[in-house]
Every structure is written in C-alpha cells, then in structure tokens.
Amino acid sequence: MKIIMLGAPGAGKGTHAKGIVEAYKIPAISTGDIFRQNIKEGTELGKKAKSYMDAGDLVPDDLVCDLVVDRIGKDDAKDGFILDGFPRTIPQAEALTKALEAKGTAIDYALDIEMSDDAIIERMGGRRVCAGCGATYHVVNVPPKKEGICDKCGGNLELRKDDDPETVKKRLDVYHEQTAPLIDYYKKQGVLREIDGTLGIEGVSKAIKEILG
Ligand code: AMP
C-alpha cells in the first residue's frame, strides 16, 4: 500500500503516519525528519536545508526529489510506504508519479487531514519534540508522563524552532500557496480521501482505518 499524508503543518500527518506504520507494517518516510537528522549530523544536505527550514520556507525541490525516490526504492519499502511531508509542491508530485510509473505502480491513497489555520496555530503552540529521539508530544493533547521529559528516551522536550508563531504563519502561507494544489492533483488521480482533522487523534485514526480497511 502506497500512501501520502497531505494536510497543513501541524494537522497530524506525522502522528497518524506512525499509527499506520504499526497497523500495516510499512515504513513511514518523513522528509522533515530526514532533514532534521541531517542537520543534527552536520551533513552537507543538512547545512543546505537548515536556512530554508528555519525561515519556514520549503527546501528546494532538487534537494528533496532524488532523496525520496532513492528512499522508496529501498528494500523495506517494496510492499509500500507512507510519505509524510512529501510531496509538498506540484513538481515534487510529478517527480513521484513519474518514478512510480517507471516501476508500473502508483499511489493508492492520498489522505488529506483537514484543519483550519486557527486550529493549527493553536495546536502548534503546544507541540513539543524530543531533542533526543524526535518523538512528538503536545502539552495538552499528548502530554508526557513527566513535564518536559520524553517518555521513550528521557530526552528534553523542546519547541521546534519552526513552530514559533511567526514561522508557523509563514509555513501556513507556504502551504496554501504551494502544497494545497496537491489536493486537486490527487483528486484527479482518484486517490484523494478527506478526513476531518478536528476529530482528535482517536477519531482521525478511526477514519483512516475505515479508509484503508
Ligand atoms: P515537516 O516536519 O514535514 O513539517 O517539515 C519541516 C520543514 O522541512 C518544512 O517546513 C520544510 O522547510 C522542510 N521540508 C520537509 N519536507 C519537505 C518537502 N517535501 N519539500 C520541501 N521542504 C520540505
């Protein structure tokens, strides 16, 4: 099963991608996580991506497309994958369609988690990420057992640099301008499924299970 998670930043793509990984045993591939890992390791890719990310801009397509096409060609993705945060522009979607077509395959589902900008801004302010393992929390919706500390690895929980209110607004503008057109792109391919992102984690998980079967 080949799945794309659509939806604005903060709509819950990552959280639900992880849920699908457990239920369907296919890898989740998050381009944001790949970039953050590269920044942490100080790689060339990380150095190139950092300034764009910190400003709330998209990393240029040429730094993203080959990386994803390469990743979905790996052995663990042969039975399917979930893409979280890719594609984010029409040229990225076209590159993905082309790469899959070359293998005689295509995306099965594009899951669009819908939320208003106001709800996103409110949610992002409470989001926290573990500096150690990258696990995500929310001060109200998904609190850790001990405030500020990761349940999984004991690392410190931090507000992501690009989750500050100004950068979130910028990321939402970028989303509406460059990423939202993908909704129509996948509707035309007949694979778009829309989910109400305000249903809460359980409600959205249930809706996803009903769609994927
Ligand atoms: P995310 O964790 O998916 O919200 O991604 C964090 C940041 O990484 C984004 O705001 C972009 O700067 C960058 N990024 C992640 N995925 C992509 C992509 N597919 N295309 C361009 N930039 C991306």
Side-chain angles (χ1 to χ4, degrees):
M1 194 143 40
K2 299 178 186 67
I3 303 167
I4 288 172
M5 304 300 289
L6 292 178
K13 300 188 294 293
T15 300
H16 292 290
K18 282 176 194 124
I20 300 171
V21 169
E22 279 156 30
Y24 296 87
K25 312 283 177 235
I26 49 177
I29 300 166
S30 156
T31 40
D33 281 352
I34 294 173
F35 288 134
R36 280 185 288 277
Q37 187 63 30
N38 274 273
I39 290 172
K40 214 166 147 186
E41 290 168 4
T43 67
E44 272 311 303
L45 177 66
K47 281 180 199 151
K48 285 184 188 155
K50 189 175 186 313
S51 57
Y52 297 100
M53 291 173 73
D54 285 351
D57 280 320
L58 292 184
V59 173
D61 289 338
D62 60 338
L63 290 182
V64 191
C65 290
D66 289 352
L67 183 133
V68 173
V69 169
D70 189 55
R71 177 64 189 85
I72 61 176
K74 295 249 156 66
D75 217 38
D76 66 337
K78 66 180 188 314
D79 295 330
F81 50 78
I82 311 145
L83 291 175
D84 160 19
F86 181 94
R88 259 182 158 101
T89 64
I90 292 285
Q92 289 180 17
E94 286 170 344
L96 177 64
T97 301
K98 212 170 122 199
L100 292 174
E101 263 172 15
K103 296 184 196 178
T105 177
I107 290 297
D108 298 301
Y109 296 103
L111 305 178
D112 179 30
I113 306 180
E114 297 181 310
M115 272 185 82
S116 70
D117 284 8
D118 286 346
I120 296 261
I121 289 168
E122 202 184 307
R123 185 183 282 184
M124 300 273 262
R127 188 153 85 161
R128 296 291 179 275
V129 182
C130 174
C133 71
T136 50
Y137 297 85
H138 188 279
V139 290
V140 180
N141 303 335
V142 194
K145 290 195 184 89
K146 196 170 166 217
E147 200 187 319
I149 303 291
C150 178
D151 293 348
K152 295 182 182 132
C153 77
N156 286 328
L157 302 186
E158 298 174 343
L159 182 71
R160 242 168 68 176
K161 206 167 177 182
D162 56 351
D163 277 353
D164 73 86
E166 276 313 301
T167 315
V168 168
K169 278 192 198 118
K170 173 74 192 294
R171 290 167 72 199
L172 284 170
D173 288 346
V174 169
Y175 167 77
H176 289 298
E177 206 176 290
Q178 301 195 56
T179 309
L182 296 181
I183 294 172
D184 241 19
Y185 181 90
Y186 286 107
K187 195 182 266 174
K188 284 192 187 123
Q189 289 198 3
V191 296
L192 183 77
R193 301 288 184 278
E194 288 166 307
I195 300 160
D196 176 359
T198 62
L199 291 173
I201 293 183
E202 291 213 350
V204 173
S205 294
K206 191 163 163 256
I208 291 177
K209 275 192 196 124
E210 277 164 15
I211 291 165
L212 302 181

